[in-house]
């Protein structure tokens, strides 16, 4: 029997992005898919090919140790994006400055992209899921050439966002602003097929996800929320379960499918949290909102933050709508410093 499965490309073409005006965006998403397949392949055999571990003593713009696979993933995505010619420039977690493509085709593209090529990479050596996160915007003007400033758009201007989770299977989760779908990589055919259509995040969950090792560094309001999660209360199903992989993509993917709240707060040592607004918080916020959830920085919606720099950090509380609303109440009623 012939399979009726739809590839990501076919699905976008026929359904989510039907119409000629979307061809360039579909092609750009295809460039991302190509690199994701290559990264998935590298990760699957990393231990055999001696590409686990740190890349010498190299540190990234955030002062974090760079892994060999961070570099490989970054190169694969940048190659695919530049050679594909469907975006005018890229901001990557691995590169301090924005990268503007100079070839004739890319120059005339209307899209720009911000990407974390390998998120959660401190987990790579122990075989824990890692991911790629990306955010796509339209250039604000086609008349002038783009500069770093052109990347500094609010999250609510994103035209597409997605992540790829390299876990027990490789799954590509995508929104183009019309709900959220996911595609699973068939490892034999090496193609992504539609596997989760129109995902909706449960309104509430029983799992909270936070690095509780930072408890005494957290603002009072968050400490009280965590204590509340731990208390027994039959009516609300507490105590809640604490689940923290320490790989944002894995923690958010679980919250998206099962319901829950993911937290990376500000703390005494990290007044802006740790996660990056432009290529971690914004794309995840767009996806979760499109699935019916919410994402805030403690005070306002993530997607309404006006960015000042391409690598800036932001605290984030993201997940099931009722859980985000509740933590927001804790924050408003208690001290959040
Ligand atoms: P990593 O440093 O391994 O790249 O993006 C940064 C990130 O991982 C997230 O994926 C993860 O949620 C977070 O850092 C974990 O940070 P902590 O170790 O401070 O909990």
């Amino acid at each position: 029997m012939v399979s009726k499965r739809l590839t990501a490309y076919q699905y976008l073409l026929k359904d989510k992005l039907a119409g000629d005006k979307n061809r360039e965006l579909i092609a750009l998403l295809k460039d991302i898919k190509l690199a994701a397949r290559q990264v998935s392949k590298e990760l699957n055999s990393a231990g055999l090919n001696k590409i686990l571990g740190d890349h010498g003593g190299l540190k990234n713009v955030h002062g974090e140790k760079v892994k060999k696979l961070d570099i490989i993933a970054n190169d694969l995505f940048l190659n695919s994006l530049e050679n594909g010619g469907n975006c005018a420039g890229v901001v990557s977690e691995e590169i301090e400055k924005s990268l503007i493509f100079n070839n004739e085709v890319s120059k005339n593209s209307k899209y720009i992209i911000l990407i974390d090529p390998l998120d959660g990479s401190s987990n790579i050596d122990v075989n824990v899921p890692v991911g790629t996160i990306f955010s796509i915007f339209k250039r604000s003007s086609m008349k002038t050439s783009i500069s770093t400033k052109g990347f500094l758009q609010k999250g609510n201007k994103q035209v597409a966002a997605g992540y790829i989770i390299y876990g027990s299977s490789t799954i590509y989760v995508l929104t183009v602003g019309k709900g959220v779908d996911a595609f699973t990589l068939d490892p034999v055919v090496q193609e992504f097929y539609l596997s989760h259509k129109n995902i909706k995040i449960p309104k509430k969950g029983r799992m909270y996800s936070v690095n509780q090792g930072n408890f005494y560094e957290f603002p009072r309001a968050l400490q009280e929320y965590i204590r509340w999660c731990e208390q027994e209360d039959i009516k609300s199903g507490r105590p809640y379960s604490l689940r923290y992989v320490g790989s944002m993509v894995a923690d958010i993917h679980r919250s998206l499918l099962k319901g829950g709240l993911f937290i990376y707060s500000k703390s005494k040592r990290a007044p802006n949290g740790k996660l990056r607004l432009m290529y971690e918080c914004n794309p995840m916020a767009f996806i979760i909102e499109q699935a019916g959830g919410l994402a805030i920085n403690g005070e306002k919606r993530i997607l309404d933050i006006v960015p000042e720099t391409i690598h800036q950090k932001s605290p984030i509380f993201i997940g099931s709508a009722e859980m985000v609303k509740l933590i927001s109440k804790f924050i408003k009623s208690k001290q959040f410093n």
Side-chain angles (χ1 to χ4, degrees):
M1 212 172 79
V2 177
S3 161
K4 291 206 174 132
R5 296 190 305 187
L6 279 183
T7 67
Y9 176 71
Q10 291 163 344
Y11 179 63
L12 293 174
L13 208 64
K14 283 183 167 190
D15 190 318
K16 284 283 153 93
L17 287 173
D20 272 349
K21 67 176 191 342
N22 294 319
R23 289 289 171 133
E24 192 179 332
L25 181 56
I26 294 177
L28 175 55
L29 294 168
K30 220 176 162 191
D31 299 335
I32 293 169
K33 234 174 41 170
L34 168 66
R37 288 201 305 252
Q38 293 168 324
V39 170
S40 181
K41 186 180 141 281
E42 295 295 336
L43 288 168
N44 285 338
S45 53
L48 300 172
N49 294 333
K50 301 201 171 12
I51 49 173
L52 293 176
D54 297 344
H55 186 89
L58 198 66
K59 293 198 172 167
N60 66 15
V61 270
H62 307 283
E64 298 158 349
K65 276 189 186 162
V66 174
K67 298 278 178 188
K68 289 179 194 159
L69 275 160
D70 280 320
I71 304 287
I72 293 172
N74 187 57
D75 289 351
L76 289 170
F77 275 100
L78 295 191
N79 275 345
S80 186
L81 292 169
E82 181 164 21
N83 294 329
N86 298 299
C87 72
V90 184
V91 160
S92 164
E93 190 201 16
E94 300 305 327
I95 307 177
E96 194 177 345
K97 294 195 172 134
S98 59
L99 195 68
I100 313 296
F101 296 137
N102 235 337
N103 66 70
E104 279 315 308
V105 192
S106 306
K107 259 197 218 166
N108 295 317
S109 168
K110 53 177 181 283
Y111 295 107
I112 49 175
I113 178 162
L114 299 102
I115 189 163
D116 181 355
L118 208 55
D119 178 68
S121 56
S122 59
N123 285 313
I124 283 176
D125 298 346
V126 291
N127 217 21
V128 164
V130 288
T132 297
I133 313 172
F134 66 87
S135 171
I136 298 176
F137 291 87
K138 268 195 184 144
R139 284 164 68 169
S140 38
S141 159
M142 291 300 287
K143 287 190 195 117
T144 50
S145 54
I146 57 164
S147 63
T148 299
K149 228 173 141 200
F151 288 88
L152 297 174
Q153 303 186 35
K154 283 198 225 171
N156 59 27
K157 291 258 187 310
Q158 288 172 100
V159 294
Y163 64 82
I164 298 110
I165 174 165
Y166 310 99
S168 48
S169 54
T170 296
I171 298 183
Y172 175 11
V173 177
L174 176 70
T175 183
V176 292
K178 298 174 187 170
V180 179
D181 302 289
F183 309 89
T184 301
L185 182 66
D186 179 329
V188 178
V189 188
Q190 277 296 302
E191 188 53 86
F192 283 98
Y193 288 97
L194 179 64
S195 52
H196 306 61
K197 199 172 169 178
N198 213 5
I199 301 172
K200 292 281 170 229
I201 182 169
K203 285 200 163 42
K204 57 182 174 191
R206 288 197 52 257
M207 285 182 258
Y208 68 108
S209 190
V210 63
N211 185 340
Q212 205 151 324
N214 294 332
F215 186 87
Y216 291 103
E217 298 274 320
F218 286 150
R220 187 70 189 276
L222 178 54
Q223 291 180 341
E224 296 208 359
Y225 175 77
I226 291 172
R227 291 292 175 239
W228 180 87
C229 290
E230 293 170 339
Q231 280 158 16
E232 197 177 290
D233 176 56
I234 295 169
K235 206 168 139 231
S236 58
R238 285 178 288 142
Y240 290 165
S241 296
L242 169 62
R243 293 279 182 278
Y244 190 68
V245 177
S247 182
M248 186 195 202
V249 177
D251 283 313
I252 299 252
H253 192 63
R254 184 197 53 251
S255 308
L256 174 66
L257 298 182
K258 304 271 185 203
L261 177 68
F262 173 82
I263 299 168
Y264 207 109
S265 174
K266 63 179 177 183
S267 62
K268 280 185 198 139
R269 258 179 304 172
N272 295 314
K274 174 183 182 191
L275 302 181
R276 279 52 70 137
L277 174 67
M278 302 303 287
Y279 39 81
E280 294 181 318
C281 301
N282 267 344
M284 288 304 195
F286 190 27
I287 293 166
I288 291 293
E289 283 202 4
Q290 283 292 314
L294 294 171
I296 57 170
N297 69 354
E299 278 130 38
K300 54 152 77 167
R301 194 177 165 229
I302 291 283
L303 297 182
D304 289 338
I305 298 174
V306 182
E308 286 167 15
T309 61
I310 51 177
H311 293 294
Q312 84 186 59
K313 295 174 183 171
S314 170
I316 187 166
F317 302 83
I318 179 169
S320 294
E322 286 190 17
M323 296 180 86
V324 176
K325 281 183 195 156
L326 183 66
I327 186 118
S328 172
K329 268 196 199 156
F330 270 81
I331 290 170
K332 279 188 189 126
S333 66
K334 301 267 158 38
Q335 197 192 335
F336 193 55
N337 280 312

